[in-house]
Amino acid sequence: MKKRWKKLLSVTLSACMAMPFISAVPAAAESKKTIRVWYWEDNDGSYEEAYSTWSEQYPDVNLELEAIPWNSYHDTLIAAAASGDLPDVYKIQPTWIPELVSLGAVEGLDEYIDSWEDKDTIPESMWESARAGQEETYAWPHSLVVLYLYCRKSYFEEAGLEYPETMDEFYEACEKLTKDTDGDGATDVYGFSMRGARGGHFMWAGLTLNSGTDFFDSEGNVALNTPEMVEANQKYLDIYLNGWAPKTAPTDGYTEIVQNFESGVTAMLIHHLNSAKEITEVLGDDVDVVALPEGDAGRYLPSEPCHWALSPNSENKEEAVNFLKYSTGEEAHKALCKSAGLVPFVSPVTEDPEFTEDKFCAASMEYLDDVKTFPVVNTFGDWSETVWPQTMQRAMMGEIDSAEMIEILADNLAGE
């Protein structure tokens, strides 16, 4: 999500020498194949660090890692799919799979999975997410994060508040933690770091769908437009309308909500393990994490499983599949979970005390039975990438009310 960079883990002599009069490069170097891999990341350099052993295990194959900023990743990917210029392997969210299948941008992986001797080290839930309701599997499990609530410890102590366990307690905290600390008549600390821009549907779902509404009913019909959801959504909008979130919230994305929390502008933040390293480097022990608060229907904990996809146009499919296997091997998986801040799912990494004894990772795994994944339907990609942020911003700015917002979201999800 930050500055784009590009790094070759294994560099051939020909890539180092650009002068046209240089004579022959050794045949062994010329014959080396290259795998291009696209992804987004929250912690710069985390993938380079995690996959640093690739060249030791596959010395004859270059691994070219390229981080694409999150804000432009989906559009960049779709443009590359349309032009036929996809990398060999690229990171995706499961909700994008129907869209990518329709574009012919993903290779079927069942034959590779069925013949892989270590496939049982990955839990069935991750394979199910990778299948995304398709008849064939087009994705390979990559990572998992679960949303939780970050709290500024000192702010809660000064306000005499316990960490919120229910929605009523959460909204009370939003109000009481919003303060004018220097007495100049202007709010300088806000209760909640609200995200109105792209990606904000994760925290929105975690604080509204716990009312008992869900995207679809058991028969597959859109079920979002209910009186309960309109009411829950209004309470969520009121965080901004009541002044308990920064004035920039309608356009705040990942970078802004984390910076607001780190700088002391906000007292609570919803995100996941990816941001724990950065936040603790800034705040030290002045941060705690708890599960998202319960609503009338219990907890709704959005998770974000991500996967690798293989381009059907890859000229090095065997080597690309080797990378998929390598990335979910014990060593590389553990390294990526550490460096990128991810919840381990590959056994035996899941039992490693380095993760089970870490409060941030433990908070991610404590309520895994409550974890929800978003629906994988053809409409959800555009809904989450475009429709939700635009509609949310209109509601925050008072152009539409809660009922109109939910009606728009439900209609678009149904493809109307």
Side-chain angles (χ1 to χ4, degrees), residues 232-247:
N233 186 60
Q234 183 62 61
K235 290 181 178 179
Y236 185 75
L237 290 171
D238 284 343
I239 297 175
Y240 178 73
L241 298 176
N242 290 338
W244 303 338
K247 294 179 181 180

Side-chain angles (χ1 to χ4, degrees), residues 8-16 25-35 54-64 315-316 319:
L8 291 181
L9 290 183
S10 179
V11 185
T12 64
L13 182 60
S14 59
C16 295
V25 175
E30 284 186 335
S31 65
K32 290 185 72 170
K33 297 180 179 179
T34 295
I35 303 171
W54 169 266
S55 59
E56 299 172 9
Q57 298 186 34
Y58 297 93
D60 296 329
V61 182
N62 292 323
L63 183 61
E64 183 178 304
E315 297 180 356
N316 301 305
E319 291 76 16

Side-chain angles (χ1 to χ4, degrees), residues 53-76:
T53 59
W54 169 266
S55 59
E56 299 172 9
Q57 298 186 34
Y58 297 93
D60 296 329
V61 182
N62 292 323
L63 183 61
E64 183 178 304
L65 299 174
E66 183 172 358
I68 309 294
W70 165 250
N71 286 339
S72 60
Y73 188 91
H74 178 265
D75 290 345
T76 301

Side-chain angles (χ1 to χ4, degrees), residues 107-383:
E107 176 84 1
L109 297 174
D110 282 335
E111 64 174 296
Y112 304 114
I113 296 168
D114 292 342
S115 62
W116 185 40
E117 60 183 10
D118 293 329
K119 65 180 179 181
D120 291 338
T121 62
I122 297 176
E124 177 57 28
S125 60
M126 290 299 291
W127 287 121
E128 183 179 353
S129 173
R131 284 191 287 273
Q134 307 295 307
E135 293 184 2
E136 188 168 1
T137 308
Y138 293 99
W140 190 283
H142 165 271
S143 61
L144 176 67
V145 289
V146 179
L147 293 193
Y148 52 53
L149 184 67
Y150 284 99
C151 300
R152 282 295 294 265
K153 185 177 180 180
S154 60
Y155 287 16
F156 276 83
E157 291 174 348
E158 291 168 6
L161 292 171
E162 299 293 329
Y163 298 137
E165 296 183 1
T166 67
M167 288 306 300
D168 287 342
E169 291 172 353
F170 173 76
Y171 289 123
E172 179 187 10
C174 286
E175 180 179 11
K176 291 186 175 180
L177 293 168
T178 299
K179 297 180 179 181
D180 168 17
T181 62
D182 56 13
D184 66 354
T187 300
D188 44 38
V189 174
Y190 298 86
F192 184 56
S193 207
M194 196 172 183
R195 181 175 181 174
R198 184 169 163 268
H201 64 288
F202 280 95
M203 64 168 63
W204 169 82
L207 296 177
T208 58
L209 295 181
N210 58 12
S211 62
T213 303
D214 210 338
F215 291 102
F216 292 88
D217 61 23
S218 58
E219 297 180 354
N221 300 310
V222 173
L224 202 59
N225 197 353
T226 67
E228 293 78 12
M229 187 60 185
V230 171
E231 180 182 357
N233 186 60
Q234 183 62 61
K235 290 181 178 179
Y236 185 75
L237 290 171
D238 284 343
I239 297 175
Y240 178 73
L241 298 176
N242 290 338
W244 303 338
K247 294 179 181 180
T248 57
T251 56
D252 281 350
Y254 167 77
T255 300
E256 291 78 18
I257 62 171
V258 172
Q259 287 179 348
N260 285 337
F261 185 72
E262 291 174 346
S263 65
V265 172
T266 56
M268 293 185 290
L269 164 71
I270 290 178
H271 203 243
H272 46 66
L273 197 59
N274 275 165
S275 51
K277 180 179 179 181
E278 177 184 343
I279 288 172
T280 53
E281 286 176 353
V282 176
L283 299 180
D285 294 332
D286 192 23
V287 59
D288 274 331
V289 283
V290 294
L292 297 191
E294 292 187 13
D296 292 340
R299 286 191 175 87
Y300 192 103
L301 302 184
S303 68
E304 186 182 351
C306 291
H307 306 297
W308 292 120
L310 173 63
S311 169
N313 296 326
S314 172
E315 297 180 356
N316 301 305
K317 288 182 182 177
E318 180 180 349
E319 291 76 16
V321 171
N322 284 338
F323 170 75
L324 300 179
K325 296 175 181 178
Y326 165 85
S327 71
T328 44
E330 181 179 346
E331 181 181 18
H333 181 68
K334 179 178 179 179
L336 185 64
C337 288
K338 281 182 59 179
S339 62
L342 301 169
V343 181
F345 61 82
V346 172
S347 61
V349 182
T350 52
E351 304 299 324
D352 194 313
E354 191 166 355
F355 299 102
T356 59
E357 296 177 4
D358 176 85
K359 69 177 181 180
F360 299 102
C361 194
S364 302
M365 297 190 287
E366 185 175 0
Y367 296 99
L368 286 179
D369 289 343
D370 298 319
V371 162
K372 306 291 185 182
T373 55
F374 289 147
V376 181
V377 293
N378 288 335
T379 56
F380 199 85
D382 183 62
W383 185 94

